[in-house]
Amino acid sequence: MSTDYSVEAPVVGGRLTIAQIEELVAKPMDTKPDKKFFLALTISGTALLIGAVCLLYTFYYGIGMWGNNQPVSWGFGIVNFVFWVGIGHAGTLISAILFLLRQRWRTGIARFAEAMTIFAVMCAGIFPIIHTGRPWLAGYLTPYPNQHGLWVNFTSPLVWDVFAVSVYFTVSLVFWYTGLIPDFATLRDRTTSKIKKTIYSIFSLGWRHSSRHWLHYEKAYVILAGFATPLVLSVHTIVSFDFAVSIMPGWHTTIFPPYFVAGAIFSGFAMVVTVLVFVRKIFDLQNIISIDHLEKMNKVILATGMMVGYAYSMEFFIAWYSGVQFEQFVFINRAFGPYAWAYWIMVSCNVFFPQLFWFKKIRRSIPAMIVIVLLVNVGMWFERFVIVVTSLHRDFLPSSWGMFTPTLYDAGILLGSFGLFFTLVILFTKALPVVSIAEVKAVADGAQPTHHRGEHHD
Amino acid sequence: MTDKKIFGVTALFNDPNAIIAAARKVASSGFTKWDVNSPYPIHGIDKAMKMKPSKLGIVTLIFGLSGAALALILMWWTMSVDYPMIIGGKPYFSLPAFIPVTFEITVIMATLSTVVAMFAFFFGLPRNSHALHDTDYMKKVSRDHYGIVIEATDPNFDEKATLQFLKDLKPLSTEIIYHSEKETYPIFEPRFIGLLLGVAVVVSIGTYLMLNKLMYIVPFDWMDKQAKVIPQSGSEFFADGRGMRLPVEGTVAKGFIPYPFEGQTNPTEVLSNPYFPTKESLELGERKFLTYCSPCHGNYGDGDSRLAGQFPNPPTLHSDRARSFSDGMIYHIITVGQNVMPSYASQVTRDERWAIVNYIRALQRAKNATDSDLNFVKAE
């Protein structure tokens, strides 16, 4: 527990050589999966299957199977969508923003976080489409010349959403794949299996580790990071526009874009920590994903948690300061109305519990951090629940007030989305390098020429 | 050995400092077709190899700006030209509302073009047939070694001299790389072609089933089969079995004028044409004739439409009998029908019917013109 913050901790601990790093990261791909792997896959697969069955019922009978009704017409579908898009944001933050900020500790976790981004956005993308009720007509969301002579409404936030989420998914995927290409080449050259070699050769595109290529490759990486940074901020901003551009009290606020982005990073980091804590243990990556890296992520959670807390209080302040009766009612109703329990779960999980990360001991303790990040995940799901449900259930007309009762199908589909996410994560850990081999090799001790060290750091 | 074509010579190092020093020497010896391979980018190798900075950003700039322009043009054209609609009191070209989509399109165009341009045009990838692949050299630099390769296409290349030059750099080892002996094109292998055919068959069958079978299965046919009364169809809901309701007895439609000659064969003596064949009347008549009459009687009333031969032949309107009909008789036939011709009273209004009569008269006159008619034309 004697951590000296005045010196930068080594990015790769344990004095690993470059070859050892490669062995460590490539080990899950070289060995056959064990029983624990299949056990985990069974659990997540079961959850996925439950979701799939609930979804099939929904497709057959329509979304009357869900709890959505007037006045709460945006139920779990939108809550889950915003929740999963938010989870995705941490990956891009780690891979792009921390890259631009020259945070070398990101190398160990970037690949995994990017993969989680892609899987989370896949989970998120399902929800608006099934929420339309006729998912097989989703093609109408794209502007294409058609015989009806109709176009999508480009001034609608819902159309902005379509563009933002699909662009975000594509760019994240390209970013991820670009990072994977040198690793595919490394795997290609180390494998002895013919089938694996063919697969890796195809995906490596015949990468030759050429310095003339690395020159452009690094440039492209900076460009991609430069675009991904505003992109990640834009995505949750646009998601918040779905609410903020409407005229519902409780939604129609200018604080929403920054508040949503901070919340997204908060929930995303919590999810990354949740998963990484187990991955580093199972795959023996404690030296590459070290406790120092986890501690840094916990600090980000603490900071963004306080930003979210600031947003909660600022909403209350503006409700009072604006003098708008309806706005004031919505916030009082949130904290003390029939959904007060959801509100206080949200506030305690997102604002109070992360405060424990002020203590270094808790920040560096694995069991404590597991509990806190799980609470944050719960709290952030409830934040979206509070925003969607409490604003809608009592709006301008008291005669049309009502309550929202989710059905078993709602819960099943939510469970299914977790099943999809973790199934993809589990398959990913066995199929691809969970840590960027090339990037971690480059920051290992003795990997760079000595006379260049200090001259320019990155 | 001698018939193999040489690709180049390589030297391996295992110290980043050594590779930088070696790269400096090669660069200053005048070689141009050479490269350094390393498992990750080495700091300072670009300067040691005397490489110019990457120009990749130009691609990004061009495609990013075109993306922004394309998105704005698309939104301007769709929202203010092709299908203008006022939404939320905003102007047709509502720039603030167009910013999000413009931004997203800019990002996707810029990033995709950068990555595609880099791999496909800057690097010439994918290329798994390169001579360096599957060599010990490649396996080493893929793992934890650093290598220099000087290619045989370099003008200064000489097998022995260049190899000696590399050995003087004190590498761990050197190797001569040859092109693989024969080029293989696995694309033309029967198995691969078989696979393609198999995929084509599966995709075709799948597409056929999707479009011709799946769309008629619940729930995909719900757009087609809806729980509602379709006009003209029956319904078990009402005692009389009709889907549509009859109007209350004695109801008179708005603007209804009774036609007292129904059932009569020739009400000529009472029905006379109230319209002169003015230009307007003839133009209206032409339009209505082409819409309602020409499908059977033909564009000029010759009875030569494409229905001829498939049906009881529609008669020509230029027969002596038809020409001898009075205006009122033609009006009567349009109104109540004749033989297999149904009544057109519900499709063509009374005024339009008289206009059609005038037009038919004009057609009949034109089809049976005499030489003396030319005098009228000449007189004008």
Side-chain angles (χ1 to χ4, degrees):
Chain A
M1 204 45 69
S2 59
T3 323
D4 182 5
Y5 287 124
S6 61
V7 279
E8 186 71 34
V11 179
V12 182
R15 299 201 169 275
L16 295 174
T17 65
I18 293 170
Q20 280 171 328
I21 292 172
E22 185 181 314
E23 292 300 326
L24 208 55
V25 178
K27 201 178 146 207
M29 276 148 289
D30 295 345
T31 52
K32 283 219 158 71
D34 56 2
K35 266 186 193 160
K36 271 187 270 176
F37 176 81
F38 286 110
L39 184 70
L41 199 61
T42 312
I43 295 170
S44 71
T46 309
L48 176 61
L49 214 61
I50 292 172
V53 169
C54 292
L55 209 53
L56 278 177
Y57 267 95
T58 308
F59 284 170
Y60 193 85
Y61 292 106
I63 45 175
M65 302 300 282
W66 299 355
N68 303 14
N69 212 328
Q70 295 303 340
V72 184
S73 47
W74 281 10
F76 272 31
I78 301 303
V79 175
N80 297 342
F81 163 65
V82 182
F83 174 74
W84 280 115
V85 175
I87 297 288
H89 279 49
T92 320
L93 186 101
I94 290 167
S95 64
I97 298 182
L98 295 186
F99 176 78
L100 293 180
L101 295 175
R102 297 279 184 264
Q103 295 295 313
R104 296 198 311 161
W105 61 273
R106 69 173 269 290
T107 50
I109 54 171
R111 166 72 46 73
F112 206 93
E114 283 169 41
M116 286 177 60
T117 295
I118 290 162
F119 303 149
V121 176
M122 284 162 94
C123 292
I126 291 171
F127 284 102
I129 289 174
I130 61 174
H131 193 255
T132 60
R134 283 193 185 153
W136 51 92
L137 302 181
Y140 289 155
L141 293 167
T142 51
Y144 68 102
N146 55 55
Q147 69 221 55
H148 319 296
L150 288 173
W151 296 99
V152 296
N153 175 10
F154 285 109
T155 58
S156 160
L158 303 181
V159 168
W160 304 345
D161 241 8
V162 173
F163 278 86
V165 175
S166 52
V167 168
Y168 184 44
F169 179 73
T170 316
V171 171
S172 301
L173 194 65
V174 168
F175 201 17
W176 190 54
Y177 180 59
T178 306
L180 270 167
I181 283 174
D183 286 3
F184 274 128
T186 297
L187 293 171
R188 169 198 70 200
D189 289 331
R190 61 172 279 120
T191 186
T192 47
S193 149
K194 231 180 161 181
I195 300 168
K196 279 185 183 173
K197 190 177 159 62
T198 310
I199 296 169
Y200 291 143
S201 296
I202 291 170
F203 283 106
S204 71
L205 305 177
W207 178 260
R208 298 194 295 274
H209 299 288
S210 154
S211 284
R212 293 184 191 277
H213 293 180
W214 281 123
L215 176 77
H216 298 296
Y217 180 87
E218 287 196 290
K219 182 81 177 180
Y221 217 75
V222 174
I223 290 172
L224 285 181
F227 276 103
T229 302
L231 178 65
V232 69
L233 300 182
S234 86
V235 173
H236 229 53
T237 299
I238 288 173
V239 169
S240 82
F241 282 163
D242 291 344
F243 302 93
V245 171
S246 78
I247 50 164
M248 283 302 289
W251 288 1
H252 189 57
T253 51
T254 48
I255 201 178
F256 259 37
Y259 159 34
F260 267 52
V261 171
I265 293 164
F266 181 54
S267 67
F269 265 74
M271 189 61 104
V272 172
V273 172
T274 313
V275 179
L276 278 188
V277 161
F278 293 101
V279 166
R280 69 192 282 273
K281 180 83 190 148
I282 294 168
F283 295 107
D284 204 21
L285 294 172
Q286 284 99 328
N287 282 322
I288 293 174
I289 305 168
S290 71
I291 195 84
D292 294 312
H293 303 163
L294 293 175
E295 188 191 354
K296 281 182 168 128
M297 283 194 273
N298 289 340
K299 285 180 186 171
V300 174
I301 291 174
L302 176 61
T304 46
M306 285 192 294
M307 289 183 207
V308 171
Y310 170 78
Y312 296 160
S313 48
M314 196 44 63
E315 277 188 318
F316 260 91
F317 170 74
I318 292 293
W320 165 76
Y321 186 68
S322 65
V324 179
Q325 203 185 345
F326 298 105
E327 192 80 12
Q328 288 167 3
F329 169 76
V330 162
F331 282 96
I332 290 167
N333 182 49
R334 259 185 202 175
F336 306 106
Y339 285 110
W341 54 272
Y343 184 83
W344 291 109
I345 288 177
M346 162 187 112
V347 170
S348 51
C349 289
N350 293 349
V351 186
F352 297 149
F353 289 117
Q355 299 303 318
L356 292 170
F357 279 148
W358 283 108
F359 302 101
K360 196 205 246 176
K361 245 188 181 154
I362 293 178
R363 230 162 35 219
R364 295 178 73 91
S365 146
I366 300 279
M369 101 176 70
I370 291 175
V371 172
I372 293 173
V373 293
L374 282 178
L375 286 174
V376 170
N377 284 324
V378 172
M380 283 309 290
W381 188 86
F382 270 98
E383 179 194 298
R384 279 62 180 248
F385 180 85
V386 164
I387 290 171
V388 170
V389 174
T390 62
S391 303
L392 286 173
H393 90 120
R394 288 184 175 178
D395 61 357
F396 302 98
L397 263 185
S399 62
S400 59
W401 285 1
M403 294 292 283
F404 170 70
T405 320
T407 62
L408 267 182
Y409 294 90
D410 279 319
I413 292 169
L414 174 59
L415 182 69
S417 70
F418 277 96
L420 174 63
F421 181 78
F422 284 108
T423 305
L424 291 170
V425 165
I426 290 167
L427 291 177
F428 163 68
T429 58
K430 217 47 188 152
L432 295 170
V434 293
V435 169
S436 172
I437 301 175
E439 275 191 54
V440 172
K441 276 181 184 173
V443 294
D445 273 340
Q448 296 296 350
T450 41
H451 54 278
H452 272 278
R453 200 162 262 176
E455 227 177 78
H456 70 138
H457 249 303
D458 54 359
Chain B
M1 202 64 153
T2 43
D3 54 335
K4 275 183 168 179
K5 221 173 136 225
I6 192 162
F7 168 77
V9 288
T10 61
L12 280 171
F13 300 83
N14 68 349
D15 176 15
N17 292 319
I19 190 73
I20 292 272
R24 280 213 187 96
K25 276 191 191 141
V26 180
S28 52
S29 312
F31 288 107
T32 48
K33 299 266 181 183
W34 67 288
D35 206 346
V36 170
N37 299 81
S38 60
Y40 52 84
I42 307 169
H43 293 166
I45 195 74
D46 48 341
K47 280 186 195 127
M49 287 174 74
K50 299 202 173 109
M51 288 191 288
K52 292 192 185 83
S54 171
K55 292 208 169 66
L56 197 56
I58 296 172
V59 177
T60 319
L61 182 73
I62 292 171
F63 278 88
L65 289 179
S66 351
L70 274 178
L72 276 178
I73 289 171
L74 173 76
M75 287 187 281
W76 161 76
W77 185 73
T78 56
M79 301 292 285
S80 25
V81 178
D82 191 44
Y83 205 122
M85 251 201 295
I86 294 175
I87 292 156
K90 293 193 260 291
Y92 290 138
F93 187 81
S94 169
L95 189 61
F98 291 168
I99 293 294
V101 174
T102 309
F103 174 76
E104 302 298 336
I105 301 292
T106 309
V107 168
I108 191 107
M109 286 277 285
T111 50
L112 287 188
S113 65
T114 307
V115 171
V116 169
M118 176 175 75
F119 284 118
F121 297 104
F122 281 58
F123 299 171
L125 299 179
R127 186 175 172 198
N128 278 308
S129 60
H130 196 273
L132 281 179
H133 286 314
D134 292 321
T135 58
D136 282 343
Y137 172 78
M138 195 71 218
K139 286 191 166 51
K140 286 255 166 61
V141 297
S142 209
R143 191 172 165 86
D144 57 352
H145 284 67
Y146 318 95
I148 286 183
V149 52
I150 300 177
E151 291 175 26
T153 47
D154 191 288
N156 294 343
F157 185 82
D158 174 78
E159 190 177 336
K160 281 188 186 127
T162 312
L163 192 62
Q164 192 53 48
F165 169 76
L166 283 181
K167 278 185 176 155
D168 290 343
L169 297 172
K170 305 222 169 15
L172 291 182
S173 64
T174 55
E175 193 187 345
I176 301 174
I177 309 258
Y178 295 95
H179 283 290
S180 51
E181 279 177 62
K182 80 176 202 322
E183 298 280 314
T184 53
Y185 296 101
I187 283 175
F188 298 117
E189 267 181 29
R191 270 198 307 179
F192 183 72
I193 292 174
L195 177 76
L196 281 188
L197 285 177
V199 169
V201 168
V202 168
V203 169
S204 312
I205 293 174
T207 314
Y208 174 82
L209 291 178
M210 282 276 280
L211 294 178
N212 293 295
K213 300 286 172 231
L214 184 75
M215 286 301 137
Y216 298 97
I217 293 172
V218 174
F220 302 103
D221 65 345
W222 281 355
M223 186 80 103
D224 192 28
K225 294 186 179 133
Q226 299 183 14
K228 68 176 185 190
V229 176
I230 294 163
Q232 316 289 349
S233 68
S235 163
E236 290 168 11
F237 184 76
F238 298 107
D240 62 358
R242 291 171 191 257
M244 297 164 82
R245 299 291 76 214
L246 290 171
V248 175
E249 214 163 309
T251 308
V252 176
K254 204 171 167 187
F256 173 77
I257 295 176
Y259 185 68
F261 310 108
E262 201 130 0
Q264 296 184 22
T265 46
N266 197 350
T268 311
E269 52 282 4
V270 227
L271 269 174
S272 65
N273 193 341
Y275 292 98
F276 289 113
T278 57
K279 200 173 172 221
E280 291 76 34
S281 171
L282 286 173
E283 275 171 2
L284 174 67
E286 181 183 15
R287 270 208 313 280
K288 295 296 161 184
F289 181 87
L290 288 177
T291 305
Y292 295 106
C293 313
S294 69
C296 294
H297 290 292
N299 284 352
Y300 298 103
D302 289 319
D304 59 349
S305 72
R306 64 180 291 271
L307 277 179
Q310 303 174 20
F311 229 43
N313 266 358
T316 167
L317 303 178
H318 305 301
S319 63
D320 290 339
R321 181 164 168 265
R323 289 173 66 202
S324 68
F325 283 160
S326 68
D327 284 2
M329 182 63 190
I330 298 176
Y331 178 89
H332 180 70
I333 293 170
I334 299 174
T335 311
V336 301
Q338 190 186 47
N339 302 332
V340 293
M341 174 173 160
S343 158
Y344 278 80
S346 60
Q347 281 128 300
V348 196
T349 66
R350 283 176 302 150
D351 294 350
E352 288 165 358
R353 271 175 255 160
W354 284 118
I356 290 172
V357 169
N358 281 336
Y359 182 68
I360 289 173
R361 285 292 179 225
L363 278 181
Q364 286 173 341
R365 181 78 200 277
K367 276 276 171 181
N368 298 280
T370 56
D371 288 345
S372 60
D373 286 334
L374 284 173
N375 295 334
F376 289 102
V377 180
K378 280 175 190 157
E380 283 171 17

